[in-house]
Amino acid sequence: MNTQHLTRHALAMRLHLQHDNERLREALHIIAEIAATSADPKSMPHIARIARTALVGASRANPALEQTT
């Protein structure tokens, strides 16, 4: 792989991770809001659903992009 190819992949991975981070931050914000405003134990399934959805949406790392040598 040449330097330009690696740079292109690094930029693509950075954009992908930035999107994942924004999505996960939003999920944490919603979870914190639910936890702060509700003492109802029935809110736990909603928190669990939001957390699962946020984590499942995150894709696994592409092994081909991890190998740079």
Side-chain angles (χ1 to χ4, degrees), residues 10-30:
L11 290 173
M13 181 58 74
R14 181 177 180 215
L15 288 173
H16 177 75
L17 292 174
Q18 182 179 358
H19 173 72
D20 275 353
N21 285 340
E22 290 171 5
R23 190 175 43 73
L24 291 170
R25 280 189 194 106
E26 179 64 24
L28 287 174
H29 176 72
I30 293 170

Side-chain angles (χ1 to χ4, degrees), residues 23 27 31 44-58:
R23 190 175 43 73
I31 289 170
M44 288 304 291
H46 296 294
I47 290 173
R49 180 180 46 81
I50 293 167
R52 264 194 314 273
T53 302
L55 292 173
V56 168

